Amino acid sequence: MAGEFEADAWASPVRTPVFYPDAVTLAPDADAAKLLARIDVGAGASVKDSFADLDLRPHGFRVLFEAQWIHRPAGAPAAPTGSAWAVADDPDALRAWALAWDGGDGNADLFRPELLADPDVFVVSGLSADGRVAAGAVLNRSEGVVGVSNVFAAQGGPDAAWPVVLEAVHRLFPGVPAVGYEHGEDLAAAVRHGFEPVGPLRVWLRG
């Protein structure tokens, strides 16, 4: 994905794939006009407003959703998972994870085999008794924290996914806290599993 970092934001001059923002603010009080000048602002453009302090309505955007950044101290899940888990380490395992995550919506191809070459990305699957992908998430290792995204479960929603995901975080990155963002019922589930909301963000969409 093409993109450029500046002090206030990351931005892509060409449209990003579905579910990926065209810009992400990295500091509060970014200049909205200057930021939008760095992206394709046609219909479908999106901006992750990491500090929830932009007003993009005068530029034709609407709030797609509001969310909370979340943080969980290092530690095992509160209850045993009761499920086996594994990290996808070949294209077939990644494809199985992507199909389970997608649930038939047609977006499984977003997760390409090249992702396996990134040493800081771990695609984690919770496995059913017969070895199928029943839950999962993507873990991104960075300095001092592990980012958690794309949390899902085939049945039972996020409450079924979080124990196995947190077990994987605990085993793969002992002593490292987990971070991410969620909204709605997904946020409530994350809080039930030990996360704390630490600040707001917004995602804006044009058109």
PDB file of all heavy atoms in Angstrom, residues 30-63:
ATOM      1  N   ALA A  30      -4.560  18.049  13.886  1.00  0.00           N
ATOM      2  CA  ALA A  30      -4.101  18.042  12.502  1.00  0.00           C
ATOM      3  C   ALA A  30      -4.929  19.045  11.691  1.00  0.00           C
ATOM      4  O   ALA A  30      -6.110  19.276  11.966  1.00  0.00           O
ATOM      5  CB  ALA A  30      -4.223  16.647  11.911  1.00  0.00           C
ATOM      6  N   ASP A  31      -4.308  19.628  10.674  1.00  0.00           N
ATOM      7  CA  ASP A  31      -4.995  20.565   9.802  1.00  0.00           C
ATOM      8  C   ASP A  31      -5.802  19.764   8.781  1.00  0.00           C
ATOM      9  O   ASP A  31      -5.240  19.074   7.933  1.00  0.00           O
ATOM     10  CB  ASP A  31      -3.980  21.456   9.101  1.00  0.00           C
ATOM     11  CG  ASP A  31      -4.635  22.542   8.259  1.00  0.00           C
ATOM     12  OD1 ASP A  31      -5.348  22.197   7.293  1.00  0.00           O
ATOM     13  OD2 ASP A  31      -4.418  23.730   8.537  1.00  0.00           O
ATOM     14  N   ALA A  32      -7.129  19.851   8.869  1.00  0.00           N
ATOM     15  CA  ALA A  32      -7.990  19.013   8.040  1.00  0.00           C
ATOM     16  C   ALA A  32      -7.773  19.265   6.555  1.00  0.00           C
ATOM     17  O   ALA A  32      -7.673  18.319   5.762  1.00  0.00           O
ATOM     18  CB  ALA A  32      -9.453  19.245   8.412  1.00  0.00           C
ATOM     19  N   ALA A  33      -7.703  20.522   6.155  1.00  0.00           N
ATOM     20  CA  ALA A  33      -7.565  20.831   4.734  1.00  0.00           C
ATOM     21  C   ALA A  33      -6.250  20.301   4.180  1.00  0.00           C
ATOM     22  O   ALA A  33      -6.201  19.727   3.081  1.00  0.00           O
ATOM     23  CB  ALA A  33      -7.675  22.337   4.512  1.00  0.00           C
ATOM     24  N   LYS A  34      -5.174  20.482   4.927  1.00  0.00           N
ATOM     25  CA  LYS A  34      -3.878  19.991   4.469  1.00  0.00           C
ATOM     26  C   LYS A  34      -3.851  18.465   4.417  1.00  0.00           C
ATOM     27  O   LYS A  34      -3.259  17.875   3.515  1.00  0.00           O
ATOM     28  CB  LYS A  34      -2.774  20.515   5.385  1.00  0.00           C
ATOM     29  CG  LYS A  34      -2.521  22.015   5.251  1.00  0.00           C
ATOM     30  CD  LYS A  34      -1.397  22.467   6.178  1.00  0.00           C
ATOM     31  CE  LYS A  34      -1.136  23.958   6.033  1.00  0.00           C
ATOM     32  NZ  LYS A  34      -0.064  24.423   6.973  1.00  0.00           N
ATOM     33  N   LEU A  35      -4.503  17.831   5.387  1.00  0.00           N
ATOM     34  CA  LEU A  35      -4.556  16.378   5.391  1.00  0.00           C
ATOM     35  C   LEU A  35      -5.322  15.859   4.183  1.00  0.00           C
ATOM     36  O   LEU A  35      -4.863  14.944   3.477  1.00  0.00           O
ATOM     37  CB  LEU A  35      -5.213  15.889   6.682  1.00  0.00           C
ATOM     38  CG  LEU A  35      -5.436  14.382   6.804  1.00  0.00           C
ATOM     39  CD1 LEU A  35      -4.115  13.628   6.758  1.00  0.00           C
ATOM     40  CD2 LEU A  35      -6.194  14.059   8.077  1.00  0.00           C
ATOM     41  N   LEU A  36      -6.480  16.439   3.909  1.00  0.00           N
ATOM     42  CA  LEU A  36      -7.297  15.959   2.798  1.00  0.00           C
ATOM     43  C   LEU A  36      -6.637  16.227   1.450  1.00  0.00           C
ATOM     44  O   LEU A  36      -6.906  15.509   0.479  1.00  0.00           O
ATOM     45  CB  LEU A  36      -8.680  16.600   2.854  1.00  0.00           C
ATOM     46  CG  LEU A  36      -9.515  16.224   4.084  1.00  0.00           C
ATOM     47  CD1 LEU A  36     -10.854  16.945   4.050  1.00  0.00           C
ATOM     48  CD2 LEU A  36      -9.718  14.718   4.184  1.00  0.00           C
ATOM     49  N   ALA A  37      -5.761  17.222   1.385  1.00  0.00           N
ATOM     50  CA  ALA A  37      -5.043  17.492   0.138  1.00  0.00           C
ATOM     51  C   ALA A  37      -4.065  16.375  -0.210  1.00  0.00           C
ATOM     52  O   ALA A  37      -3.592  16.294  -1.347  1.00  0.00           O
ATOM     53  CB  ALA A  37      -4.301  18.821   0.235  1.00  0.00           C
ATOM     54  N   ARG A  38      -3.779  15.496   0.745  1.00  0.00           N
ATOM     55  CA  ARG A  38      -2.812  14.411   0.534  1.00  0.00           C
ATOM     56  C   ARG A  38      -3.469  13.102   0.124  1.00  0.00           C
ATOM     57  O   ARG A  38      -2.777  12.108  -0.093  1.00  0.00           O
ATOM     58  CB  ARG A  38      -1.999  14.199   1.810  1.00  0.00           C
ATOM     59  CG  ARG A  38      -1.141  15.408   2.191  1.00  0.00           C
ATOM     60  CD  ARG A  38      -0.617  15.324   3.615  1.00  0.00           C
ATOM     61  NE  ARG A  38       0.117  14.070   3.852  1.00  0.00           N
ATOM     62  CZ  ARG A  38       0.442  13.629   5.070  1.00  0.00           C
ATOM     63  NH1 ARG A  38       0.079  14.330   6.144  1.00  0.00           N
ATOM     64  NH2 ARG A  38       1.113  12.503   5.208  1.00  0.00           N
ATOM     65  N   ILE A  39      -4.827  13.063   0.036  1.00  0.00           N
ATOM     66  CA  ILE A  39      -5.514  11.826  -0.319  1.00  0.00           C
ATOM     67  C   ILE A  39      -6.482  12.074  -1.474  1.00  0.00           C
ATOM     68  O   ILE A  39      -6.780  13.211  -1.833  1.00  0.00           O
ATOM     69  CB  ILE A  39      -6.273  11.236   0.886  1.00  0.00           C
ATOM     70  CG1 ILE A  39      -7.458  12.125   1.280  1.00  0.00           C
ATOM     71  CG2 ILE A  39      -5.337  11.024   2.065  1.00  0.00           C
ATOM     72  CD1 ILE A  39      -8.367  11.505   2.333  1.00  0.00           C
ATOM     73  N   ASP A  40      -6.983  10.987  -2.035  1.00  0.00           N
ATOM     74  CA  ASP A  40      -8.061  11.035  -3.018  1.00  0.00           C
ATOM     75  C   ASP A  40      -9.367  11.194  -2.240  1.00  0.00           C
ATOM     76  O   ASP A  40      -9.790  10.283  -1.537  1.00  0.00           O
ATOM     77  CB  ASP A  40      -8.055   9.730  -3.827  1.00  0.00           C
ATOM     78  CG  ASP A  40      -9.231   9.614  -4.787  1.00  0.00           C
ATOM     79  OD1 ASP A  40     -10.115  10.493  -4.785  1.00  0.00           O
ATOM     80  OD2 ASP A  40      -9.261   8.625  -5.542  1.00  0.00           O
ATOM     81  N   VAL A  41     -10.001  12.366  -2.370  1.00  0.00           N
ATOM     82  CA  VAL A  41     -11.179  12.665  -1.554  1.00  0.00           C
ATOM     83  C   VAL A  41     -12.484  12.372  -2.289  1.00  0.00           C
ATOM     84  O   VAL A  41     -13.528  12.912  -1.936  1.00  0.00           O
ATOM     85  CB  VAL A  41     -11.167  14.128  -1.050  1.00  0.00           C
ATOM     86  CG1 VAL A  41     -10.057  14.338  -0.052  1.00  0.00           C
ATOM     87  CG2 VAL A  41     -11.080  15.102  -2.204  1.00  0.00           C
ATOM     88  N   GLY A  42     -12.435  11.499  -3.280  1.00  0.00           N
ATOM     89  CA  GLY A  42     -13.660  11.102  -3.954  1.00  0.00           C
ATOM     90  C   GLY A  42     -14.551  10.273  -3.049  1.00  0.00           C
ATOM     91  O   GLY A  42     -14.205   9.957  -1.904  1.00  0.00           O
ATOM     92  N   ALA A  43     -15.724   9.908  -3.568  1.00  0.00           N
ATOM     93  CA  ALA A  43     -16.672   9.110  -2.795  1.00  0.00           C
ATOM     94  C   ALA A  43     -16.007   7.832  -2.299  1.00  0.00           C
ATOM     95  O   ALA A  43     -15.292   7.166  -3.039  1.00  0.00           O
ATOM     96  CB  ALA A  43     -17.885   8.766  -3.648  1.00  0.00           C
ATOM     97  N   GLY A  44     -16.213   7.536  -1.029  1.00  0.00           N
ATOM     98  CA  GLY A  44     -15.608   6.353  -0.421  1.00  0.00           C
ATOM     99  C   GLY A  44     -14.327   6.617   0.328  1.00  0.00           C
ATOM    100  O   GLY A  44     -13.806   5.712   0.992  1.00  0.00           O
ATOM    101  N   ALA A  45     -13.791   7.822   0.247  1.00  0.00           N
ATOM    102  CA  ALA A  45     -12.577   8.153   0.997  1.00  0.00           C
ATOM    103  C   ALA A  45     -12.866   8.076   2.487  1.00  0.00           C
ATOM    104  O   ALA A  45     -13.967   8.401   2.949  1.00  0.00           O
ATOM    105  CB  ALA A  45     -12.089   9.548   0.640  1.00  0.00           C
ATOM    106  N   SER A  46     -11.858   7.647   3.261  1.00  0.00           N
ATOM    107  CA  SER A  46     -12.051   7.525   4.709  1.00  0.00           C
ATOM    108  C   SER A  46     -10.824   8.016   5.454  1.00  0.00           C
ATOM    109  O   SER A  46      -9.708   7.957   4.942  1.00  0.00           O
ATOM    110  CB  SER A  46     -12.360   6.075   5.102  1.00  0.00           C
ATOM    111  OG  SER A  46     -11.292   5.214   4.741  1.00  0.00           O
ATOM    112  N   VAL A  47     -11.064   8.499   6.664  1.00  0.00           N
ATOM    113  CA  VAL A  47     -10.004   9.029   7.518  1.00  0.00           C
ATOM    114  C   VAL A  47     -10.206   8.482   8.923  1.00  0.00           C
ATOM    115  O   VAL A  47     -11.309   8.585   9.488  1.00  0.00           O
ATOM    116  CB  VAL A  47     -10.029  10.570   7.562  1.00  0.00           C
ATOM    117  CG1 VAL A  47      -9.007  11.100   8.576  1.00  0.00           C
ATOM    118  CG2 VAL A  47      -9.761  11.159   6.178  1.00  0.00           C
ATOM    119  N   LYS A  48      -9.136   7.889   9.490  1.00  0.00           N
ATOM    120  CA  LYS A  48      -9.166   7.504  10.899  1.00  0.00           C
ATOM    121  C   LYS A  48      -8.665   8.696  11.710  1.00  0.00           C
ATOM    122  O   LYS A  48      -7.493   9.060  11.644  1.00  0.00           O
ATOM    123  CB  LYS A  48      -8.303   6.283  11.175  1.00  0.00           C
ATOM    124  CG  LYS A  48      -8.377   5.819  12.632  1.00  0.00           C
ATOM    125  CD  LYS A  48      -7.341   4.769  12.980  1.00  0.00           C
ATOM    126  CE  LYS A  48      -7.687   3.434  12.400  1.00  0.00           C
ATOM    127  NZ  LYS A  48      -6.737   2.381  12.878  1.00  0.00           N
ATOM    128  N   ASP A  49      -9.575   9.290  12.428  1.00  0.00           N
ATOM    129  CA  ASP A  49      -9.327  10.476  13.247  1.00  0.00           C
ATOM    130  C   ASP A  49      -8.942   9.983  14.640  1.00  0.00           C
ATOM    131  O   ASP A  49      -9.790   9.793  15.510  1.00  0.00           O
ATOM    132  CB  ASP A  49     -10.608  11.310  13.251  1.00  0.00           C
ATOM    133  CG  ASP A  49     -10.566  12.548  14.106  1.00  0.00           C
ATOM    134  OD1 ASP A  49      -9.497  12.870  14.642  1.00  0.00           O
ATOM    135  OD2 ASP A  49     -11.632  13.183  14.241  1.00  0.00           O
ATOM    136  N   SER A  50      -7.653   9.757  14.851  1.00  0.00           N
ATOM    137  CA  SER A  50      -7.181   9.024  16.021  1.00  0.00           C
ATOM    138  C   SER A  50      -7.434   9.731  17.343  1.00  0.00           C
ATOM    139  O   SER A  50      -7.368   9.090  18.403  1.00  0.00           O
ATOM    140  CB  SER A  50      -5.682   8.744  15.886  1.00  0.00           C
ATOM    141  OG  SER A  50      -5.412   7.976  14.733  1.00  0.00           O
ATOM    142  N   PHE A  51      -7.714  11.024  17.309  1.00  0.00           N
ATOM    143  CA  PHE A  51      -7.942  11.790  18.535  1.00  0.00           C
ATOM    144  C   PHE A  51      -9.361  12.357  18.602  1.00  0.00           C
ATOM    145  O   PHE A  51      -9.677  13.112  19.530  1.00  0.00           O
ATOM    146  CB  PHE A  51      -6.906  12.916  18.650  1.00  0.00           C
ATOM    147  CG  PHE A  51      -5.488  12.398  18.653  1.00  0.00           C
ATOM    148  CD1 PHE A  51      -4.817  12.201  17.456  1.00  0.00           C
ATOM    149  CD2 PHE A  51      -4.852  12.058  19.830  1.00  0.00           C
ATOM    150  CE1 PHE A  51      -3.514  11.695  17.440  1.00  0.00           C
ATOM    151  CE2 PHE A  51      -3.563  11.543  19.829  1.00  0.00           C
ATOM    152  CZ  PHE A  51      -2.890  11.362  18.633  1.00  0.00           C
ATOM    153  N   ALA A  52     -10.191  11.992  17.614  1.00  0.00           N
ATOM    154  CA  ALA A  52     -11.586  12.444  17.566  1.00  0.00           C
ATOM    155  C   ALA A  52     -11.687  13.953  17.709  1.00  0.00           C
ATOM    156  O   ALA A  52     -12.567  14.474  18.405  1.00  0.00           O
ATOM    157  CB  ALA A  52     -12.412  11.748  18.648  1.00  0.00           C
ATOM    158  N   ASP A  53     -10.778  14.677  17.032  1.00  0.00           N
ATOM    159  CA  ASP A  53     -10.790  16.134  17.158  1.00  0.00           C
ATOM    160  C   ASP A  53     -10.870  16.856  15.815  1.00  0.00           C
ATOM    161  O   ASP A  53     -10.693  18.074  15.751  1.00  0.00           O
ATOM    162  CB  ASP A  53      -9.573  16.618  17.952  1.00  0.00           C
ATOM    163  CG  ASP A  53      -8.239  16.312  17.272  1.00  0.00           C
ATOM    164  OD1 ASP A  53      -8.232  15.665  16.200  1.00  0.00           O
ATOM    165  OD2 ASP A  53      -7.188  16.715  17.824  1.00  0.00           O
ATOM    166  N   LEU A  54     -11.146  16.114  14.733  1.00  0.00           N
ATOM    167  CA  LEU A  54     -11.347  16.752  13.433  1.00  0.00           C
ATOM    168  C   LEU A  54     -12.842  16.975  13.187  1.00  0.00           C
ATOM    169  O   LEU A  54     -13.684  16.239  13.709  1.00  0.00           O
ATOM    170  CB  LEU A  54     -10.798  15.872  12.307  1.00  0.00           C
ATOM    171  CG  LEU A  54      -9.296  15.600  12.269  1.00  0.00           C
ATOM    172  CD1 LEU A  54      -8.979  14.692  11.082  1.00  0.00           C
ATOM    173  CD2 LEU A  54      -8.511  16.893  12.186  1.00  0.00           C
ATOM    174  N   ASP A  55     -13.155  17.976  12.367  1.00  0.00           N
ATOM    175  CA  ASP A  55     -14.509  18.134  11.857  1.00  0.00           C
ATOM    176  C   ASP A  55     -14.412  18.136  10.334  1.00  0.00           C
ATOM    177  O   ASP A  55     -14.034  19.131   9.721  1.00  0.00           O
ATOM    178  CB  ASP A  55     -15.142  19.433  12.351  1.00  0.00           C
ATOM    179  CG  ASP A  55     -16.586  19.585  11.875  1.00  0.00           C
ATOM    180  OD1 ASP A  55     -17.095  18.640  11.223  1.00  0.00           O
ATOM    181  OD2 ASP A  55     -17.198  20.628  12.133  1.00  0.00           O
ATOM    182  N   LEU A  56     -14.739  16.997   9.745  1.00  0.00           N
ATOM    183  CA  LEU A  56     -14.633  16.864   8.295  1.00  0.00           C
ATOM    184  C   LEU A  56     -15.971  17.042   7.596  1.00  0.00           C
ATOM    185  O   LEU A  56     -16.060  16.871   6.377  1.00  0.00           O
ATOM    186  CB  LEU A  56     -14.035  15.491   7.940  1.00  0.00           C
ATOM    187  CG  LEU A  56     -12.639  15.207   8.513  1.00  0.00           C
ATOM    188  CD1 LEU A  56     -12.131  13.872   7.977  1.00  0.00           C
ATOM    189  CD2 LEU A  56     -11.664  16.325   8.169  1.00  0.00           C
ATOM    190  N   ARG A  57     -17.009  17.413   8.335  1.00  0.00           N
ATOM    191  CA  ARG A  57     -18.315  17.612   7.709  1.00  0.00           C
ATOM    192  C   ARG A  57     -18.295  18.710   6.653  1.00  0.00           C
ATOM    193  O   ARG A  57     -18.923  18.533   5.594  1.00  0.00           O
ATOM    194  CB  ARG A  57     -19.354  17.911   8.787  1.00  0.00           C
ATOM    195  CG  ARG A  57     -19.731  16.683   9.621  1.00  0.00           C
ATOM    196  CD  ARG A  57     -20.573  17.030  10.821  1.00  0.00           C
ATOM    197  NE  ARG A  57     -19.811  17.839  11.781  1.00  0.00           N
ATOM    198  CZ  ARG A  57     -20.254  18.193  12.971  1.00  0.00           C
ATOM    199  NH1 ARG A  57     -21.471  17.835  13.360  1.00  0.00           N
ATOM    200  NH2 ARG A  57     -19.497  18.901  13.784  1.00  0.00           N
ATOM    201  N   PRO A  58     -17.596  19.829   6.855  1.00  0.00           N
ATOM    202  CA  PRO A  58     -17.571  20.843   5.793  1.00  0.00           C
ATOM    203  C   PRO A  58     -16.914  20.353   4.501  1.00  0.00           C
ATOM    204  O   PRO A  58     -17.069  20.983   3.457  1.00  0.00           O
ATOM    205  CB  PRO A  58     -16.743  21.975   6.425  1.00  0.00           C
ATOM    206  CG  PRO A  58     -16.879  21.789   7.890  1.00  0.00           C
ATOM    207  CD  PRO A  58     -16.925  20.308   8.081  1.00  0.00           C
ATOM    208  N   HIS A  59     -16.210  19.231   4.567  1.00  0.00           N
ATOM    209  CA  HIS A  59     -15.532  18.684   3.404  1.00  0.00           C
ATOM    210  C   HIS A  59     -16.292  17.509   2.791  1.00  0.00           C
ATOM    211  O   HIS A  59     -15.748  16.782   1.948  1.00  0.00           O
ATOM    212  CB  HIS A  59     -14.120  18.239   3.793  1.00  0.00           C
ATOM    213  CG  HIS A  59     -13.298  19.330   4.402  1.00  0.00           C
ATOM    214  ND1 HIS A  59     -12.595  20.256   3.660  1.00  0.00           N
ATOM    215  CD2 HIS A  59     -13.091  19.661   5.721  1.00  0.00           C
ATOM    216  CE1 HIS A  59     -11.968  21.085   4.469  1.00  0.00           C
ATOM    217  NE2 HIS A  59     -12.247  20.753   5.721  1.00  0.00           N
ATOM    218  N   GLY A  60     -17.539  17.319   3.214  1.00  0.00           N
ATOM    219  CA  GLY A  60     -18.377  16.286   2.618  1.00  0.00           C
ATOM    220  C   GLY A  60     -18.282  14.928   3.274  1.00  0.00           C
ATOM    221  O   GLY A  60     -18.795  13.941   2.726  1.00  0.00           O
ATOM    222  N   PHE A  61     -17.655  14.843   4.451  1.00  0.00           N
ATOM    223  CA  PHE A  61     -17.535  13.576   5.163  1.00  0.00           C
ATOM    224  C   PHE A  61     -18.624  13.465   6.229  1.00  0.00           C
ATOM    225  O   PHE A  61     -19.163  14.471   6.701  1.00  0.00           O
ATOM    226  CB  PHE A  61     -16.170  13.463   5.844  1.00  0.00           C
ATOM    227  CG  PHE A  61     -15.021  13.194   4.899  1.00  0.00           C
ATOM    228  CD1 PHE A  61     -14.523  14.193   4.066  1.00  0.00           C
ATOM    229  CD2 PHE A  61     -14.428  11.938   4.847  1.00  0.00           C
ATOM    230  CE1 PHE A  61     -13.461  13.950   3.210  1.00  0.00           C
ATOM    231  CE2 PHE A  61     -13.362  11.678   4.003  1.00  0.00           C
ATOM    232  CZ  PHE A  61     -12.879  12.692   3.174  1.00  0.00           C
ATOM    233  N   ARG A  62     -18.911  12.218   6.611  1.00  0.00           N
ATOM    234  CA  ARG A  62     -19.796  11.937   7.736  1.00  0.00           C
ATOM    235  C   ARG A  62     -19.088  10.953   8.667  1.00  0.00           C
ATOM    236  O   ARG A  62     -18.161  10.250   8.249  1.00  0.00           O
ATOM    237  CB  ARG A  62     -21.115  11.337   7.265  1.00  0.00           C
ATOM    238  CG  ARG A  62     -20.967   9.996   6.548  1.00  0.00           C
ATOM    239  CD  ARG A  62     -22.325   9.439   6.112  1.00  0.00           C
ATOM    240  NE  ARG A  62     -22.185   8.211   5.337  1.00  0.00           N
ATOM    241  CZ  ARG A  62     -22.071   6.995   5.856  1.00  0.00           C
ATOM    242  NH1 ARG A  62     -22.080   6.837   7.188  1.00  0.00           N
ATOM    243  NH2 ARG A  62     -21.947   5.926   5.093  1.00  0.00           N
ATOM    244  N   VAL A  63     -19.524  10.924   9.916  1.00  0.00           N
ATOM    245  CA  VAL A  63     -18.938   9.981  10.868  1.00  0.00           C
ATOM    246  C   VAL A  63     -19.471   8.584  10.563  1.00  0.00           C
ATOM    247  O   VAL A  63     -20.684   8.354  10.619  1.00  0.00           O
ATOM    248  CB  VAL A  63     -19.259  10.380  12.314  1.00  0.00           C
ATOM    249  CG1 VAL A  63     -18.742   9.316  13.286  1.00  0.00           C
ATOM    250  CG2 VAL A  63     -18.652  11.739  12.647  1.00  0.00           C
TER     251      VAL A  63
END
